[in-house]
Amino acid sequence: MPAYNLYMGCSVPANYPNYEASMLKVALALGMELEYMENVACCGSPNLRAIDYLGWLTVNARTLAIAEENGHDIVTPCNGCFASLKDTLHHLKHDESDMKKVNSELKKLGLTFKGTIKVRHFIEALYTDIGVEEIRKKVTNPLDGIGISIHYGCHLMRPADVTGFRPEILDELVSLTGATVIEYPIWKQCCGATVLPVNEPLAIRLARDKIKSMKEAGAAFAAVVCPACGNQLDLQQLGLKDSYGEVYDLPVLLYPQILALAMGMDESEIGLEMNRVPADTILDHLTS
Amino acid sequence: MSEKSDVILCTCGKQLQLDYEILTDRIGKIELAKTVTILDTVCQDDDLEQIAKMIEKNEGRLVIAACTNQKIQPRIDQFLYSKGLDPTRIQYVNIREHSAWVHDDLTEASEKSVAMTRGALARSSTSNTIPTESKDVAGHVTVIGGGIAGIESAISLSGLGYNVTLIEIADELGGHLAKLPMVAPTGKSGTEVLAARLAALKSDSITILTRTKVKYVEGELGRFVVHLVTDAAEEDELHTSAVVLATGFKEFKPTMIDEYQYGKNPDVLTQLELSEMLTEDSLKRPSDGGEVKSVIMVQCVGSRSEDYKRDCSKLCCTFAIDNSLEILKRVPDAQIRIVYMDIRVPFENELIYAESREKGVDYIRGRISMVWSQGNETRVKLYDSLLDQYFELSSDLLVLSCAVLPPDGITELSETLGYAIEDDGHIKELYGKLRRNETRRRGVLAVGAVTRPQFAYEAVTDAQAAALVIHNELQGGRIEKIARGAVLVADDCVGCSLCAQQCPRGVPLMVEETDLENQDDEQKLVFKATIDTLNCHACGVCQSLCPSGATQLNFLTNEQLWAEIDAVLEGAGSDYPITLCFYCEECSVSTIDIVGTRKMKYPASTRLIPVPCSGRVSIVDILKAFESGASAVMLAACETDRCHIAGTGNEIAQVQVDVAQEILNAIGWRGERVGMYRMFSAEPERFTEAINEMVKRAKDFGPTPVHLGTAGKWMEVKE
Amino acid sequence: MSDAEEQTGPPITLVEPIDVSKLDSEFRKTIRSMPNGEELMACFACSTCTAACPIANQWDYKPHQLIRMILLGMRDDVLSSKEIWECLTCFQCQERCPQKVRVTDIFFDCKNLAAEEGMIPDNIIGLARELAEKGQLYVVTADWEREDLGLEPEVPGLSANGIREILKTTRTNKIVGGES
Amino acid sequence: MKDAVLVIGAGVAGMTAAIELADSNIETVLIDRLPTAGGNALDLYKAFPTDDCFYCFEGSRSRPGIRKCFYRSALIDQPNLHLRTDTEVAEISGSPGSFTVKLTVGPRYVDSRKCILCGLCLELSNAFEQISPQCQPQAVIYRPDLLDDGAKKAESDCPTKAINLNAEPTEETVNITDIVLATGYHEMQPINVDEYSYGKHPNIITQLELAKILDPNGESGGALLRPSDGAQVKNMMMIQCVGSRDENYYAYCSKICCVFALKHAKIVSSERNGIGITVVYMDMRTYDRHERYYRETRDSGVRFLRGRLHLIDPREDGTLDVTVYDSLLNKYLRHNIDLLVLSSALEPPESNDGIIQLLDVQMRSGFIGPSDPFSENEVVAGDHLYVCGSATGPTEVPESVTQARAVVSKILQGRRS
């Protein structure tokens, strides 16, 4: 099994240790060797891209260049980090002049970006390197009968020519836990995370629409693979009573948490109590 | 053997500014000139008589120096044929548009005229007579595809006296048309439009094979063999003289565009699926058989999209309007909304658009946001770009006007039929402006939607026109024409297949040599080319590519062209650097003629040699010019992609020029001595600009180091 | 014939048009030369982008209108618009554009141009400041939560120095008013 | 002449039909009202969809080869083909299959078979003119209203005695089996459409007028200059659907004006550097592969504006302030331009009315429709009557050619049965 450069970004370790822990535990159980990258931090997120394109490119090219030193693929649990790295990779491969600019900056830090590294979201690595069949073998506690709606996250799916992500793989990964994927009309729609700094009511509205749509479609809980999306769908739900007078109580789980449960891991190992909307209903179901 | 020719010099009614004394004197001294005669108007009756007499006297070897042969040759040919004389050996020199009208200096213009006449004499000295030949072919044509275009083809060809076999893969004839409830612009149903034609097909000369597929085709114009297979897997073959492809189109199925939910929601259909429903009078919601009270149609699904079909599908706007009107006939209070980007209804179809609006069809300029199911309802959210509003509504049916795509199977068939395929997957027309129904392959025609989206009436017109083209080719079964074209000497053929691969019209065929002559078993699988000169377009591409000189144009052999090159360049040297220009007798001849007509001036240190197509000029021909003393060589050809010879002759020429440049560079000369330029008769300055540039290069570079025995001084001196 | 019809001179109208010659005709060239602007001119104003956008009904200028405004040279209106900052960057417009115009990416380009001219919403400047100072947007504050889950309290390998170094030399530094 | 066919109109469609007929050994009389063949095509420079010369059409068996310029065509020296320019139909009698047609033939001042275009008369007198290098017949024409002394000298000195200044109009009666109507289209002169000020300001022109300006063989050598003062055009605007899709003028869509306009926009944007172009449209109708023009012109920087004209305000410097409503932005935009080009409706030629009455064929928005519309036979206008090209309605060159061939196909089929 190959080793991976694990790029955490800043949001997961700061706000979602439950995501981090469940990912590491699932990876360990499946024999994935995730090694934290050294000397890296934030990807800058779309916000940096919006105001300082060259800075953003350079920050991410630096991360890629560091990974190039040991040659292992980068794996990240965050859609924002994934998009930043993927987009940087894609853009620099197609733009020689920016490539030169970036490398002249990196040179000052003693680095060179070549564009030889692959970037993958954690769930892609799960899917392609471990494979559905291998993972299924580890499912001891199938989530049969539970309906899950998936929020994939925009920056994982689009632009497709940059990210190269196929949403079906997450469907398969969810299905193999025994759960049923519940489709809902606005599955492509954004969670609203990016607009939070400039228009909070709008961001909340978008989160609310998604939760409402999932709930109406009959989902028992939601699956996400990104801290920012998780924040929108999970945390914002608590405020909906104030802003909309609506209560949905739709638990939002990070995918590794779901998989961990199906693999028979204990809720405490994966920080389920840190999820804002209590996931008791699932636990009830599993123990029943 | 070099034969002498008579020379006629025309004075254009004594109006040409040339020194005829110099001309007669100098030409008279050329060894290959038998006599020199001055006439005032070779195009007028008295002089035509003179020409006839000279042709009789000298077995047809005659050089006429006058105005452009583009004007006088048809008249002279016609006159001579009417007298039972053979004009095929006459060589023309243009001393009006190429000399007198474009050069100010009388002496220089006269010198150039002498040189070019010398060239024509050289060409004439080994000229062949080109006889009229004939052959008999079967008066049978195969039509593939039994939709409206194929049916009309069969009827037209039968009407012109041919036996026709009409092949259809489905159970029934009629294609998509049979499923249209209304055909624009007539307002009748497809079955009604077809009825009279289906009756007309019941003719002794038409054989219909349904449930039959064409597997592959062999042979050429006049003798194709079509290999058929029925749905019961029985194989058969059919001997035929020409093939008409009429396999129609295929509607795009947008399963991969998820915003429309096609394939997921049964109430989402394509426009043709709706047509079928209307034709069968079964308009209801597929999901629950419920009434259809509201319909949303979406235009440009897959069309005008970089992802699916770049171009517009042309028919879909009209189809949508027709179907809307049909729905309203059945459900007068139905609410129909058409969501569009641009409504495109040509000519009087605009009136149907107006009618539909009057009858209450709503047109919304905008796009669909998303489609989803809510209970048993189909919900649609859309954006109206003119109201700048979003709307959300339920609809009983969502009808997608899907792109018109080429049918399945045409790529496979192209492998043996040799026609070219357009970027969009349709069959490529030979030339988009004037020869829509012909394909790259002679004897293979394409009609109807297989070439592009077409309305029924357009497909009918296509079919009728293509029948005429076939009739022109087959001439009722007895093909008779002047055998002017490529002639192949099989013994010299090395079997490389360059000619067969590169002939713009697919004329040379590769055959097993054992078909030609008996060989030992060991050599049985050696292939050789054959060329039917009567099928040839006479461009000379095969000749310029042939490594062994096995195939040559009978009116412009290698020997003839090389002799001409040498003769026109006599006297070229460092005192007088000459630019030799080969020009094609398509766009280039016209452009140069117009330059003459408009009296646009350029230097007289130029010599012009006509070739049927620029693709006739080989690397060797170019190098011969340098050997004979040219300082620069220019090739005047048709515009890129506009070669008259199926669009590819000039591309072959471009390769020859590119390689010639590389050769010159490789031996230490300047590649820029050779130039290729694209001519366009509407822009005559293209020629003057090009020739001025080449003359400048000739002057700057001077003659090449190797000519007239200066061997040893190989490298050019570069400053 | 009425008096009005007899009048000559320019017709009276209440329309006060935008003078196109006063617009910035170079603006579209600028956008086109930016990282994702090459396909800009392929736009044929079908409004698919607007149809695809989940929030454009909140906007004064719709996505297709913003693209039109770029094409027309309404530089100031575009760069000072709130819409470019409210873009969710969900890429749905870009995904569905039949002419492959990179709509979302073009809005990113516009934001960069606006940023260069100092037109940035305050909250975004705040984020930039976080990045410039801390090298990250989020820092671990509740390390006991990490420890509870068996994670190291400090994130392994984390170091924000590299980022801070880079951002000192780029536009971010200018935005947060750092020393040059 | 036995069993001859009459082709009325020597544009692209008529010429194609006539040559195909003559090649099929059918005696053919091709007539045109104008002094030279070619119709609208002579003035149109570049043709879509191939962007090459407009005056180029299919070769024939007597001119083997592929396709030819008009001047190289077989119109003159094909023995079965009888071209009559300056000629109109005066009377048609008889019955289908055996019509008797009386033609009025204009004065034959110049014998086109004798004229060798030596240029002598052009030097001697202003009354002679070669309309175009592509003219067919390849002969000068004489304008009697410009008669001068030189003209008389030209008459006497003409080396082939091709000139007769005293020629009179003649009448010719021909026996005809079939008639082919190829009367083409006319570009509407939008003088009555007030809002466009056409005819009131020299810098407001039509697309056909623009084509003439762009033609390198034209007065300006192809440079795009303002008609008012010959200054270089810097900004221009085209307006689509002037008189088309308009119940006040022509309710139909003229079908080819969008491509026509974009063909010009493409020439200007790609070959006449630095000229700004705005195209104002209602629906851009680039059917089928013509979409390419729309794509390419957008890419080359042509601005497209969905909307309509609000106001034209001419300024003293010769420019025009044009305000247009943009229906997508919901804003009014004012442009300062040098040249306003109107994509004016393509209308039936006036002469159509006479022919339609004379032959009792179906009228279709003023053009000539098929006799039995339900047959989908576009080219059959009646018993022994056929129609092709823009006589059927606005038609592209390739359609005209295909229709002309369909006509010949139908005539040959008719003769066999």
Side-chain angles (χ1 to χ4, degrees), chain B residues 110-223:
Chain B
S110 304
E111 292 284 353
K112 177 174 168 182
S113 302
V114 171
M116 303 231 294
T117 308
R118 187 185 299 114
L121 279 164
R123 189 192 285 224
S124 177
S125 69
T126 54
S127 63
N128 301 303
T129 58
I130 301 169
T132 298
E133 289 178 7
S134 64
K135 66 172 177 181
D136 292 313
V137 297
H140 181 276
V141 181
T142 300
V143 179
I144 306 172
I148 180 72
I151 291 171
E152 185 70 17
S153 292
I155 294 170
S156 297
L157 286 161
S158 154
L160 288 168
Y162 296 88
N163 292 314
V164 182
T165 302
L166 176 59
I167 299 168
E168 168 59 45
I169 197 163
D171 298 351
E172 306 264 349
L173 299 180
H176 288 115
L177 188 61
K179 293 171 186 161
L180 296 188
M182 183 204 261
V183 181
T186 64
K188 279 219 169 184
S189 76
T191 26
E192 285 171 292
V193 170
L194 283 166
R197 287 190 168 82
L198 291 174
L201 282 179
K202 295 199 175 80
S203 149
D204 291 343
S205 57
I206 300 174
T207 310
I208 296 167
L209 303 176
T210 51
R211 301 181 185 195
T212 303
K213 195 181 162 191
V214 174
K215 224 173 137 190
Y216 65 101
V217 183
E218 295 172 288
E220 62 182 322
L221 171 67
R223 48 181 198 97

Side-chain angles (χ1 to χ4, degrees), chain D residues 203-380:
Chain D
N203 295 341
I204 301 175
I205 62 174
T206 65
Q207 288 291 354
L208 240 66
E209 287 162 352
L210 175 64
K212 281 190 202 176
I213 296 176
L214 292 176
D215 188 344
N217 288 313
E219 267 175 51
S220 67
L224 187 54
L225 307 178
R226 293 202 309 211
S228 61
D229 56 2
Q232 174 65 47
V233 169
K234 294 191 203 78
N235 287 294
M236 67 189 288
M237 180 183 279
M238 296 180 177
I239 298 185
Q240 300 305 108
C241 299
V242 173
S244 304
R245 303 182 66 193
D246 184 338
E247 296 287 343
N248 300 306
Y249 305 95
Y250 297 103
Y252 56 79
C253 156
S254 293
K255 180 175 162 182
I256 54 179
C257 349
C258 280
V259 203
F260 213 115
L262 296 198
K263 177 198 86 176
H264 289 157
K266 186 180 169 193
I267 294 170
V268 173
S269 65
S270 60
E271 296 169 25
R272 312 284 191 276
N273 280 342
I275 297 174
I277 309 170
T278 304
V279 178
V280 178
Y281 68 99
M282 311 207 293
D283 289 285
M284 189 45 68
R285 293 190 166 171
T286 40
Y287 305 95
D288 194 2
R289 287 182 196 137
H290 296 320
E291 185 76 10
R292 175 173 64 92
Y293 284 93
Y294 191 18
R295 227 167 25 230
E296 288 174 359
T297 46
R298 289 200 310 275
D299 191 56
S300 68
V302 175
R303 284 197 170 116
F304 287 86
L305 198 163
R306 188 184 192 283
R308 288 311 264 169
L309 175 78
H310 171 67
L311 187 71
I312 299 173
D313 189 7
R315 297 214 307 219
E316 281 190 3
D317 63 0
T319 62
L320 302 158
D321 271 348
V322 181
T323 304
V324 178
Y325 171 69
D326 183 324
S327 62
L328 293 171
L329 270 188
N330 189 18
K331 292 210 179 328
Y332 291 83
L333 303 171
R334 186 172 67 221
H335 299 73
N336 181 250
I337 56 163
D338 302 288
L339 190 65
L340 182 64
V341 185
L342 307 177
S343 293
S344 194
L346 305 183
E347 61 187 5
E350 262 177 53
S351 58
N352 261 18
D353 295 351
I355 291 281
I356 287 171
Q357 270 189 356
L358 216 52
L359 292 172
D360 196 24
V361 290
Q362 296 289 319
M363 170 117 67
R364 179 163 81 174
S365 293
F367 292 95
I368 298 160
S371 59
D372 171 15
F374 302 131
S375 70
E376 301 275 331
N377 274 329
E378 278 283 287
V379 300
V380 181

Side-chain angles (χ1 to χ4, degrees), chain B residues 224-300:
Chain B
F224 284 108
V225 183
V226 182
H227 294 262
L228 304 169
V229 56
T230 66
D231 65 353
E234 287 161 23
E235 301 211 2
D236 201 358
E237 57 177 57
L238 184 65
H239 291 258
T240 194
S241 290
V243 177
V244 179
L245 294 158
T247 49
F249 70 93
K250 177 175 84 181
E251 191 190 38
F252 172 61
K253 303 286 180 201
T255 41
M256 64 292 261
I257 309 184
D258 54 38
E259 58 263 29
Y260 299 125
Q261 296 289 304
Y262 179 79
K264 297 188 184 105
N265 178 341
D267 295 334
V268 179
L269 8 156
T270 69
Q271 200 63 252
L272 272 183
E273 286 163 0
L274 172 64
S275 297
E276 223 166 309
M277 212 184 241
L278 289 163
T279 303
E280 289 162 5
D281 230 353
S282 60
L283 180 66
K284 51 181 189 279
R285 285 168 34 138
S287 60
D288 58 3
E291 259 186 296
V292 172
K293 286 286 188 189
S294 61
V295 179
I296 295 178
M297 296 184 180
V298 187
Q299 300 308 108
C300 299

Side-chain angles (χ1 to χ4, degrees), chain D residues 19 69 82 131 133 152 154 221 238 253 309 344 383 392 403 406:
Chain D
I19 287 176
C69 289
H82 311 280
I131 290 182
K152 286 182 188 140
M238 296 180 177
C253 156
L309 175 78
S344 194
D383 193 5
T392 65
Q403 288 174 355

Side-chain angles (χ1 to χ4, degrees), chain C residues 19-31:
Chain C
D19 186 342
V20 175
S21 66
K22 300 238 161 64
L23 301 177
D24 179 0
S25 59
E26 295 297 305
F27 187 40
R28 58 178 178 170
K29 288 183 196 155
T30 309
I31 294 290

Side-chain angles (χ1 to χ4, degrees), chain B residues 1-7 23-36 58 61 63 114 117-125 566-567 570:
Chain B
M1 201 171 68
S2 294
E3 300 277 354
K4 294 187 175 190
S5 314
D6 291 322
V7 179
L23 258 59
T24 33
D25 179 50
R26 298 276 302 279
I27 294 169
K29 288 181 182 147
I30 299 172
E31 204 182 321
L32 288 171
K34 199 175 197 178
T35 64
V36 181
N58 199 16
R61 273 191 221 284
V63 170
V114 171
T117 308
R118 187 185 299 114
L121 279 164
R123 189 192 285 224
S124 177
S125 69
D566 199 49
E570 194 182 301

